[in-house]
Amino acid sequence: MDKGEVAAWVAALVAIGAAWIAMHNANSARSQAGSAMKQAAEAEKARVAAEESAAEARKANEFMREKDARERAERDAAEVAEARKIRVERTGGGGLWINITNHSTSQVFDLVLNSVVPVEDPSHQWRFNSRVFGLREVAPALYPGEEKRWPVEFVSPTGEMKRMVGNRYDIVFSFTDGSGQRWRRTNDDTPERVSSTLGYAPHESQASAAPTEHDIRFQLLSLIVDRKRSDTPIDVPLLPQELGLDEALVRRCLEHLHAESLIIAMRGDDGITAISGPTPGGVRLVEGH
């Protein structure tokens, strides 16, 4: 083989090598392009899945918000409906009486008559009937079916006392339900929630009147009835501190209740074992331990 033929073979081999390299590079480029396309497709698939997941999460969150709002609205409506069962009416007979009755199935607390305004002449100021002895402005507890009655009267701008002023009155009262929510209601209007932190201010007709022993005995009996019904121990030595009263006065009132058989039994360790508490139907015996 002469030099020309060798050169031709060499050139052919170089051409084949170049062609192989070009083909390899092309295949590598195609492989890289395919891999890039695959990665892009997977990235798009992941993006779509993430968007779908986010959409499902938003949908679930919205559903839960709507569910919570619906349940809250139903709960609020049920609480308002229960508060509506605390109703007020007025009666006559020697003067004006404001009667508030608990028609619900739950006990309410701290029932207060806030105001009685004569619609026909609101210039008259209301007050509790000054001729009724031992009147308690606040009912610490009102049990289902129980009624609280307040006698009221009015004072004209000239100082004249009147038992009634017309036939229409805006009567406002407030109370606390078993959950601690404070309510205010005017006549038969929808009860309104008010802050449970609002303090109680005595009515001007009661502000200067010190509680009588009759009042304290009733307060003691009401407290004891509540404690017994809730099965809460009664520590007699601590009662004066709880009520902010003189120890001798509380002891005297307890002895009076015992003498009247309102407290059925007292143990030697200063624990009250049984009481007879006033109820709407008369007297109920509440047994202790």
Side-chain angles (χ1 to χ4, degrees), residues 41-53:
E42 290 177 350
E44 177 65 13
K45 184 178 179 181
R47 184 189 65 79
V48 172
E51 289 184 352
E52 291 177 349
S53 178

Side-chain angles (χ1 to χ4, degrees), residues 156-264:
S156 72
T158 60
E160 179 186 2
M161 191 281 291
K162 295 185 178 181
R163 292 184 175 180
M164 299 183 70
V165 181
N167 295 313
R168 297 171 56 210
Y169 300 88
D170 281 335
I171 304 169
V172 180
F173 62 98
S174 56
F175 60 92
T176 301
D177 65 19
S179 68
Q181 173 63 56
R182 189 74 181 166
W183 299 88
R184 181 185 295 268
R185 190 177 192 189
T186 302
N187 298 332
D188 290 331
D189 296 349
T190 301
E192 298 178 353
R193 288 177 172 83
V194 295
S195 172
S196 59
T197 60
L198 290 178
Y200 161 69
H203 186 266
E204 58 183 8
S205 65
Q206 296 286 314
S208 60
T212 65
E213 284 201 17
H214 179 275
D215 295 331
I216 295 171
R217 289 197 297 271
F218 185 85
Q219 184 179 5
L220 278 168
L221 187 58
S222 297
L223 183 147
I224 293 167
V225 169
D226 289 342
R227 294 281 176 86
K228 279 299 179 184
R229 284 186 171 128
S230 62
D231 199 24
T232 303
I234 302 169
D235 194 342
V236 173
L238 294 181
L239 288 178
Q241 181 180 352
E242 288 186 39
L243 299 173
L245 297 172
D246 179 72
E247 182 178 352
L249 174 60
V250 171
R251 174 64 64 178
R252 187 165 64 249
C253 289
L254 286 172
E255 290 174 352
H256 184 96
L257 293 173
H258 187 238
E260 292 182 346
S261 296
L262 292 174
I263 299 177
I264 302 302

